[in-house]
Amino acid sequence: MRVAVLSFAHVHAATYIGLLRDREDIELITADPDAPPDDPTRGRDLAERLGAAYVDTWDEVFALSPDAVLVTSENARHRHLVERAAASGAHVLCEKPLATTEADARAMIDACARAGVGLMTAYPVRFSPAFVALRRVLADGLLGGLISVHGANNGSNPARSRPWFADPELAGGGALADHTVHLADLVDALLDGEQAAEVYAQANSILDDGGPAPDVETAGLVTIRYPGGVVAAVDASWSHPPDHPTWGGLAMTCVGEKAIVEFDAFPPLLGGFDSATGRDRWEAGGADLDAAMLDEFLDAVRTGRRPSPDGESGLRTLRIVLAAYESLRTGQPVALSDAVVGTTAD
């Protein structure tokens, strides 16, 4: 299978390249023509360091007729690449959030549907064995009805290595756009795609005051109410300082009628102090969620089945983010039917 990674803008691009490069069943192509020419973390320089085949333009990529593509560009540039991939007959795995506007996300979904190709949204935490078990326990009725979900997705500020994450136009917002969607997707999975009814948000930039993100929020709290009565509270932040021992983490508590379940996507395997660097060190245990997500995507491409989480999942979670930004503008809860179709950080 010929697979192309389109852009190195996203911090996960190098991880995906490493996982695909080592597979015997994959012919890997990469391209990053929008990279700044003097950025050593982008473009041909990065491809050479990673040992990945590289071409200079999007036209060259699609002339090679890839079977599948991974879109890892800036968020606002997802639509262009997804539409080009769909037109060429390539299945698509797109980084989250799916887009920065609802109109763009819908256009991407429609383009893939017309072309008969799959569109998957990159939500790797769905593939945690512990989360799979949580979904099974809920479905079997052992928790009773789900009452509430309390989750936190905290991490380091990605704008320290990729400045575009703090560009409202390219990223669509800050920590709310970057981190709310992961937890919103997990709740989406637990509720079998039930679209949220109302969203309320508060945010600030205090937790990374003076960092490389002056134009976007670096922390926020988002409350999401669902039609069936479930309420989810999401703590989304870029609160880890540069010397924090880990990049980030994601955990949540599910309160059911019969039981409470604690879920941690990255449980600690090792912890301690690194005398060479003078810093704490922490190693995450558990499965490689990125590898599990790629396995799902590639299997869906081979078999022709619909990937999961799909584009519609990405749209539902994007609508929550859009409503959160509308709530920040108005200071009021926002019904999803009232959320504007616009850029997340207008």
Side-chain angles (χ1 to χ4, degrees):
M1 185 186 301
R2 182 172 290 165
V3 178
V5 174
L6 307 184
S7 178
F8 303 159
H10 202 281
V11 292
H12 292 159
T15 299
Y16 299 150
I17 290 170
L19 290 169
L20 292 168
R21 176 202 60 208
D22 296 335
R23 293 181 61 130
E24 295 182 356
D25 58 339
I26 297 297
E27 177 189 348
L28 179 63
I29 313 161
T30 67
D32 191 21
D34 297 328
D38 58 347
D39 187 346
T41 68
R42 299 279 302 270
R44 184 176 290 276
D45 287 347
L46 178 61
E48 290 178 352
R49 287 201 304 276
L50 294 174
Y54 185 85
V55 297
D56 292 312
T57 68
W58 302 133
D59 288 342
E60 290 177 85
V61 170
F62 293 111
L64 293 170
S65 301
D67 301 293
V69 304
L70 279 64
V71 174
T72 46
S73 66
E74 299 86 345
N75 300 337
R77 293 173 175 165
H78 288 176
R79 176 177 176 175
H80 169 71
L81 292 174
V82 170
E83 289 181 330
R84 285 208 64 175
S88 75
H91 299 266
V92 181
L93 171 62
C94 184
E95 259 301 338
K96 57 77 194 170
L98 192 60
T100 58
T101 70
E102 186 171 338
D104 280 357
R106 175 51 62 189
M108 293 157 61
I109 293 169
D110 291 346
C112 290
R114 286 193 303 270
V117 298
L119 173 60
M120 181 176 176
T121 309
Y123 285 133
V125 182
R126 274 212 195 193
F127 301 94
S128 162
F131 183 71
V132 172
L134 171 58
R135 291 183 73 181
R136 184 169 59 249
V137 167
L138 181 63
D140 289 345
L142 298 180
L143 298 184
L146 188 62
I147 298 171
S148 65
V149 177
H150 309 264
N153 187 4
N154 308 136
S156 301
N157 189 336
R160 294 187 183 278
S161 60
R162 295 290 194 273
W164 70 265
F165 274 95
D167 183 324
E169 181 176 349
L170 290 176
L176 289 189
D178 190 34
H179 280 186
T180 302
V181 289
H182 276 299
L183 281 159
D185 177 67
L186 297 183
V187 179
D188 187 78
L190 293 176
L191 298 181
D192 294 324
E194 181 180 8
Q195 177 64 70
E198 186 179 81
V199 174
Y200 178 69
Q202 291 280 349
N204 60 49
S205 59
I206 295 172
L207 290 182
D208 196 43
D209 189 25
D215 298 323
V216 296
E217 78 289 343
T218 56
L221 295 173
V222 181
T223 302
I224 310 165
R225 183 174 60 81
Y226 291 85
V230 174
V231 175
V234 176
D235 171 355
S237 77
W238 293 338
S239 54
H240 288 181
D243 60 351
H244 195 275
T246 68
W247 169 260
L250 186 151
M252 68 182 189
T253 300
C254 294
V255 179
E257 294 171 331
K258 298 180 180 179
I260 297 174
V261 175
E262 302 277 354
F263 165 69
D264 188 342
F266 304 100
L269 175 65
L270 297 172
F273 183 79
D274 188 336
S275 60
T277 63
R279 294 170 53 182
D280 290 333
R281 182 171 178 178
W282 185 93
E283 297 291 340
D288 186 330
L289 304 186
D290 290 320
M293 179 181 68
L294 289 178
D295 285 342
E296 159 67 17
F297 174 60
L298 296 173
D299 184 70
V301 173
R302 288 193 179 94
T303 61
R305 62 179 176 82
R306 190 182 185 95
S308 180
D310 60 11
E312 294 289 350
S313 301
L315 175 57
R316 287 192 296 271
T317 51
L318 173 63
R319 295 192 78 225
I320 290 171
V321 172
L322 291 168
Y325 282 109
E326 178 70 1
S327 179
L328 292 181
R329 283 190 285 267
T330 64
Q332 300 296 320
V334 173
L336 267 292
S337 60
D338 297 333
V340 295
V341 180
T343 302
T344 50
D346 283 347

